[in-house]
Amino acid sequence: MADFTITIAVTGSMGGQSFSWSRTATVANIDAALYGLNSSVQTNSGLGSDSAGGFSIDGHHDYTGVAVACFVHNNPGTIIKINPIDTTGTVYASVIMPPNVPMIYYGGAGAGFTGTFNSSNTATDTPTVDMVGMISAEPLIGSGSIAGLYGLKPVS
Amino acid sequence: MPNASIAFSASINDGTETKSLSNSGTISCTQLVSGSQTVGNTYEVFATAYGNPSTVIIYNTGAVDASIRVTLQSGATNAYHFLNCIAGGMVVVPCMWGDDNKVWTNLHARSDSGTVTLDYCIIR
């Protein structure tokens, strides 16, 4: 078992004043990790689907959900939309990823919320839907690459 | 327009090798804000976009999970997306979500139980 560590640092300068913010997050006791690159995101391609041009982790693990997953791309002038998918193939929490802005998802870790995400019209809902590691990525502007790193351990 | 630099890295040594993902780049912005807020177990306003597309990075300093609720408004109807920010975890809320590629209007946060303190960085 190992630790999955994520660090984000933001710096900037405006009006002669400097800004700096940095945090490190750790998920402990990860059993296994998967890494994937998709060099050319096409419509209906997937990091976790069987679509042509996609990258699939489907069948590569037996967990009911991922403990942590993160994605990023840095293609100038390219905007990618990612569509996380649950075990039934339903899309939740689709998000638009501009270059250099990562996305991070966590599975329920036992105590606490039981899922990674949710989407609804009910304001009092909470994250109850597991993410098995499947996303589809589609180009909104341009066609670029995207990379993902997954950490796996039993989730609630 | 000024830029903010974002450096991101993720890594794990799974006993066989180190797998890592990293990226460094810039995004345009006019405001940078950092702070900390403690929320209870019902949704509280965490940030508003004030009409400006905003990216928010949230770090959970506490010992319980936090739910981050993203609000997308379409007339009188709200659509919500929820993210689990586990204890000790960090999530990113980009400015556009959903099937209709909407800019979010409000962020709310709540703890799973008790209170939890969330550190945040807003890039607007």
Side-chain angles (χ1 to χ4, degrees), chain A residues 11-120:
Chain A
T11 57
S13 178
M14 297 180 192
Q17 301 298 316
S18 298
F19 177 93
S20 180
W21 185 93
S22 178
R23 296 292 187 275
T24 295
T26 301
V27 182
N29 301 323
I30 296 294
D31 293 336
L34 291 165
Y35 176 75
L37 290 173
N38 185 330
S39 65
S40 181
V41 174
Q42 305 291 327
T43 300
N44 295 324
S45 68
L47 277 174
S49 76
D50 293 329
S51 298
F55 165 74
S56 176
I57 69 168
D58 187 20
H60 289 237
H61 70 87
D62 295 327
Y63 296 91
T64 56
V66 296
V68 55
C70 48
F71 309 94
V72 73
H73 76 97
N74 67 352
N75 308 291
T78 299
I79 295 180
I80 294 174
K81 181 175 181 177
I82 63 172
N83 304 297
I85 300 170
D86 75 351
T87 54
T88 70
T90 302
V91 173
Y92 289 85
S94 293
V95 67
I96 313 305
M97 288 181 64
N100 306 317
V101 177
M103 276 303 292
I104 304 167
Y105 299 96
Y106 294 99
F113 297 118
T114 58
T116 297
F117 43 51
N118 202 348
S119 297
S120 76

Side-chain angles (χ1 to χ4, degrees), chain B residues 72-124:
Chain B
L72 308 177
Q73 286 184 317
S74 178
T77 303
N78 288 336
Y80 304 106
H81 298 286
F82 304 84
L83 281 181
N84 189 351
C85 187
I86 63 172
M90 181 158 50
V91 296
V92 179
V93 181
C95 59
M96 294 178 70
W97 290 68
D99 291 341
D100 297 331
N101 306 331
K102 285 191 173 61
V103 175
W104 61 264
T105 54
N106 292 292
L107 282 187
H108 289 69
R110 59 159 285 189
S111 70
D112 173 58
S113 63
T115 61
V116 69
T117 297
L118 305 175
D119 293 346
Y120 60 85
C121 173
I122 302 174
I123 306 169
R124 179 176 290 141

